[in-house]
Amino acid sequence: MPSFPADFLWGAATSAYQIEGSPDADGRGRSIWDTFTERPGAIESGGDARIACDSYHRWQEDLDILSEVGMKAYRFSLAWSRIMPDGRGRVNPRGLDHYERLIDELRRRDIAPIVTLNHWDMPEALMADGGWIGRSSVDAFVEYAVAASERLGDRVDWWITQNEPWIIQLLGYQLGLHAPGIRDLRGAVTAGHHVLLAHGRAADAMRPFTRGRIGVALNLLPCVPATDSQEDADAAWGSDGYVNRWFLDPLLRNGYPDDMRAHWERATGGPLDDVIRPGDEAAISGRSDFLGINFYTHRVMAAAAPGPDRPFPWQVVGSTGEVERTDEGTEIVPDAFRDLLIRVHRDYPGVPLIVTENGAIFGDSPTHDGEVHDVRRTRYLRSHVAAMAEALDAGVPLRGYMHWSLLDNFEWALGYRPRFGLVYVDFRTGERIIKDSARDYARIVRDGGIVAGADVRASQVDSLGAFG
Ligand code: IFM
């Protein structure tokens, strides 16, 4: 019996800021990323996303590619500041027109739209109240979610309110490496809480306008101890609280985990009662029809003393020995992916799962024949599809898989150097070239999984160049 159900949502993902460009088109307002990219040194090589993949203009070409490789779903995000240019109040109909056209065309092609509301590009105007640190951000997000679902709710079956709350909290507000570039530990945990609260409140507010399912995409990282010691086991569990359970528990249980709350309160110098107010946890819990999982790698953890740059008693040490890695050095661990899917289902039963991102940086570019023979991405994709098949066989209610990303794109603070795409983008011309990995993915989709006999050994993948 095949592991993947016939209606499995095979697809690819992007986000507005990373691909669209056209920051001034059709009444778009300024976003926090427009401001952040202007900060000297914020973006590697000083790049910005004024053009990116030019998908605001070339979206039909992107959809042609999705059709050509047989995708069943496309995850993309709405640019918040195209719809609410001032953050609150005025809705910009031209922003909604754009996404309505995109969604209608996807549906005409029988490709399911999976629509993310906040993939990090908050309107700059909301920074007047502290961005996500300000509690009023929750109401602003609800206004936006209502505007989007009022117009688009009848044609979207899958909504993702928030993408990667932990990354917003960590990189945006704790380390200042992403927009809005704030470094404030208590501000970070506050921001993360408001992101979750905004999910819960927005989900309630959207229901009258849509029968689509509403979820959140969490980037989950299995945390494993570096050694057999009890100290490292504690470090791994603590890190799991920081990265995973701090978000899973309030969304899919009844509130924040006590152990991590104690860590946060110790590190930020006091109780969080003024941040996590009575009723907040009840407003977050039980509002998710599905969980989106973004998976890239794991964290190998060791105990460590807290210090000025280490708020919690653990540190990431990485694996020793031979481990397969991406071009960025990220460990490739498909078994951890399978185990994570099984664990989430075991610990939070009854919630359908969609892999809303999974992918890797491999810098392949066109060779003499004009094609991109990205053998390692093909192998990566196959090994992760095999992991999902094992999870499905173990009973995990997995509904879909979105490869990150459809296109090489603007990788935030790292600029354009890291290439995540199934499709190569020449950033000077905007030309797209479908990589070998995308053609192999098309075959997996057509076959409904990896057919028997095809495994993930490098020697076999090496012969995949003939797919085209
Ligand atoms: O590009 C990002 C995406 O925006 C969010 N998840 C991780 C991806 C790769 O870093």
Side-chain angles (χ1 to χ4, degrees):
M1 218 180 74
S3 303
F4 292 94
D7 60 354
F8 193 77
L9 293 166
W10 296 102
T14 60
S15 87
Y17 198 77
Q18 293 177 272
I19 66 164
E20 284 182 352
S22 302
D24 304 318
D26 297 334
R28 176 186 178 279
R30 194 172 171 79
S31 91
I32 56 172
W33 273 92
D34 298 328
T35 304
F36 190 68
T37 52
E38 287 170 5
R39 193 187 273 195
I43 310 299
E44 194 177 301
S45 308
D48 64 39
R50 295 191 66 79
I51 299 177
C53 306
D54 197 20
S55 287
Y56 193 73
H57 296 118
R58 302 174 81 132
W59 60 273
Q60 308 228 29
E61 205 180 318
D62 296 344
L63 268 45
D64 288 344
I65 292 170
L66 286 166
S67 295
E68 187 174 340
V69 294
M71 292 295 105
K72 311 281 188 217
Y74 179 41
R75 177 185 174 213
F76 61 95
S77 76
L78 313 184
W80 187 347
S81 54
R82 290 196 194 282
I83 295 170
M84 306 295 293
D86 311 316
R88 8 177 107 79
R90 186 172 62 93
V91 176
N92 175 28
R94 287 187 294 164
L96 287 164
D97 292 345
H98 173 74
Y99 295 114
E100 191 174 67
R101 283 190 290 269
L102 174 65
I103 289 168
D104 286 350
E105 182 59 19
L106 280 167
R107 288 170 61 91
R108 198 186 64 74
R109 293 166 186 256
D110 231 0
I111 299 172
I114 301 181
V115 178
T116 310
L117 291 176
N118 175 32
H119 202 119
W120 306 352
D121 48 355
M122 174 182 254
E124 173 67 25
L126 297 177
M127 289 313 295
D129 296 326
W132 283 112
I133 297 179
R135 199 168 163 100
S136 60
S137 58
V138 174
D139 291 337
F141 185 74
V142 170
E143 264 191 64
Y144 160 50
V146 166
S149 55
E150 241 181 337
R151 171 74 90 86
L152 308 170
D154 60 344
R155 59 201 78 189
V156 174
D157 292 333
W158 301 93
W159 294 96
I160 294 169
T161 53
Q162 305 282 9
N163 184 65
E164 300 184 354
W166 182 56
I167 295 292
I168 297 174
Q169 169 181 311
L170 173 74
L171 298 187
Y173 293 85
Q174 183 178 331
L175 301 178
L177 298 173
H178 277 188
I182 291 172
R183 289 170 62 94
D184 169 2
L185 198 58
R186 198 170 173 86
V189 70
T190 305
H193 174 61
H194 291 155
V195 169
L196 292 186
L197 187 57
H199 159 72
R201 292 263 164 80
D204 286 351
M206 291 167 72
R207 301 278 178 205
F209 305 109
T210 185
R211 288 169 50 195
R213 277 152 283 197
I214 302 172
V216 176
L218 299 182
N219 58 312
L220 298 179
L221 290 124
C223 299
V224 290
T227 70
D228 291 340
S229 73
Q230 186 57 47
E231 289 76 12
D232 287 354
D234 293 345
W237 181 246
S239 166
D240 184 69
Y242 177 48
V243 178
N244 303 321
R245 288 178 291 115
W246 188 252
F247 303 93
L248 286 164
D249 283 12
L251 288 166
L252 303 178
R253 289 187 178 161
N254 294 317
Y256 291 102
D258 291 341
D259 63 324
M260 191 60 217
R261 185 163 176 156
H263 279 299
W264 271 116
E265 293 187 337
R266 200 174 311 115
T268 60
L272 287 172
D273 299 353
D274 59 326
V275 175
I276 305 167
R277 299 189 188 163
D280 284 2
E281 284 163 302
I284 296 168
S285 158
R287 300 308 200 282
S288 307
D289 303 321
F290 70 98
L291 176 71
I293 296 181
N294 297 356
F295 175 81
Y296 289 90
T297 191
H298 64 179
R299 276 158 69 96
V300 180
M301 304 305 303
D309 287 326
R310 186 183 300 128
F312 306 113
W314 53 75
Q315 64 176 332
V316 179
V317 291
S319 296
T320 49
E322 264 191 37
V323 188
E324 223 186 320
R325 293 175 190 272
T326 70
D327 278 353
E328 204 69 7
T330 305
E331 294 180 30
I332 301 175
V333 286
D335 288 353
F337 182 37
R338 175 202 56 220
D339 296 347
L340 171 74
L341 294 171
I342 292 171
R343 176 242 171 142
V344 171
H345 174 52
R346 184 197 64 211
D347 291 354
Y348 307 89
V351 186
L353 308 178
I354 294 184
V355 175
T356 36
E357 287 182 26
N358 169 242
I361 296 169
F362 293 116
D364 307 88
S365 50
T367 51
H368 60 281
D369 56 0
E371 304 286 326
V372 181
H373 303 297
D374 56 337
V375 169
R376 290 170 302 160
R377 188 180 319 282
T378 301
R379 184 165 58 211
Y380 179 97
L381 180 52
R382 285 184 159 245
S383 64
H384 287 73
V385 169
M388 288 191 295
E390 289 172 16
L392 277 160
D393 291 344
V396 175
L398 191 58
R399 301 280 182 264
Y401 173 81
M402 304 300 121
H403 192 79
W404 185 271
S405 176
L406 176 66
L407 305 171
D408 291 338
N409 60 46
F410 176 71
E411 178 55 18
W412 307 111
L414 300 181
Y416 294 95
R417 177 180 50 76
R419 290 185 177 269
F420 271 102
L422 293 163
V423 175
Y424 180 87
V425 177
D426 181 334
F427 292 110
R428 289 163 312 167
T429 63
E431 187 196 356
R432 280 100 162 113
I433 300 172
I434 297 176
K435 300 181 188 177
D436 283 358
S437 56
R439 300 204 183 279
D440 187 48
Y441 188 22
R443 196 162 80 162
I444 291 171
V445 174
R446 194 195 58 210
D447 294 346
I450 298 171
V451 291
D455 70 13
V456 296
R457 285 196 307 271
S459 56
Q460 278 196 308
V461 173
D462 284 345
S463 68
L464 297 177
F467 277 175

